[in-house]
């Protein structure tokens, strides 16, 4: 259940990938963990992690938030079902491509079956809703469009990685209601002129 002030926007252009042999999690996950600590996530009686079904999300969620209920975003589950439907019932094809498309359909069906099998315990939407839990990452993804799309992807804009991250930090602080705290922080700038 989303309540007032429950969404914050930590963001940067960085990798979320972490290898099994890495000593530390990727910067993205460090940012997520910091935000969770700032919000007191470890003290709440009911923790939930929403994700798109990617294995790396659940691996890190298991590691960082082992008590959390994991939910595959309903939109992404429906998106996978739509891919299967298009693969199986798509538009007619030339005879020359029938064999290739049949193999593609089989591949898509196997891929989708594996996705749903792997995430079945994260897709109990009726139960999650009955418990008052949110089943969609839509508010987060919309926030990404607002944060990134409206500020970084305007016509004629070109950004360096450092410049883009600086603008993202300002934008996230503003949208999260923490601009003054961010602006007055002695740690806001790592580089000096």
């Amino acid at each position: 259940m989303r309540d007032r002030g429950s969404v914050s926007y930590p963001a940067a252009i960085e990798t979320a990938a972490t290898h099994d042999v890495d000593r530390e999690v990727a910067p993205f996950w460090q940012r997520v963990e910091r935000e969770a600590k700032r919000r007191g996530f470890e003290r709440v009686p009911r923790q939930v992690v929403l994700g798109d079904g990617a294995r790396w999300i659940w691996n890190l969620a298991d590691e960082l938030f082992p008590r959390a209920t994991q939910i595959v975003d309903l939109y992404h589950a429906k998106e996978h079902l739509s891919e299967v439907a298009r693969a199986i019932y798509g538009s007619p094809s030339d005879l020359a491509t029938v064999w290739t498309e049949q193999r593609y359909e089989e591949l898509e069906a196997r891929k989708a079956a594996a996705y749903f099998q792997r995430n079945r315990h994260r897709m109990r939407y009726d139960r999650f809703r009955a418990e008052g839990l949110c089943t969609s990452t839509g508010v987060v993804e919309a926030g990404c469009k607002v944060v990134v799309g409206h500020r970084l992807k305007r016509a004629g804009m070109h950004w360096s990685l450092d410049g883009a991250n600086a603008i993202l930090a300002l934008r996230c602080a503003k949208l999260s209601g923490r601009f003054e705290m961010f602006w007055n922080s002695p740690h806001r700038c790592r580089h000096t002129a």
Side-chain angles (χ1 to χ4, degrees), residues 49-59 70-77 79-80 111 114-116 118-123 125 137 141:
V49 173
L50 279 163
D52 66 7
R55 285 187 180 123
W56 64 268
I57 292 173
W58 307 124
N59 291 341
Q70 298 176 357
I71 302 175
V72 169
D73 173 60
L74 184 57
Y75 175 83
H76 285 90
E79 191 174 48
H80 277 272
K111 180 178 162 186
Y115 174 86
F116 288 109
R118 184 175 64 248
N119 290 300
R120 69 186 178 281
H121 63 287
R122 299 180 181 108
M123 295 180 171
Y125 298 115
T137 58
E141 295 195 22

Side-chain angles (χ1 to χ4, degrees), residues 95-117:
L95 291 175
T97 60
V98 169
W99 185 88
T100 304
E101 289 187 7
Q102 286 174 343
R103 301 299 83 75
Y104 176 71
E105 290 170 7
E106 291 167 3
L107 175 66
E108 283 297 313
R110 278 195 302 267
K111 180 178 162 186
Y115 174 86
F116 288 109
Q117 181 66 24

Side-chain angles (χ1 to χ4, degrees), residues 27-58:
F28 170 79
W29 281 99
Q30 291 174 19
R31 186 181 307 280
V32 169
E33 190 172 30
R34 250 189 336 267
E35 184 64 14
K37 284 180 183 174
R38 190 190 72 73
R39 288 184 156 273
F41 192 67
E42 71 278 357
R43 295 186 308 272
V44 298
R46 187 71 187 261
Q47 299 175 350
V48 175
V49 173
L50 279 163
D52 66 7
R55 285 187 180 123
W56 64 268
I57 292 173
W58 307 124

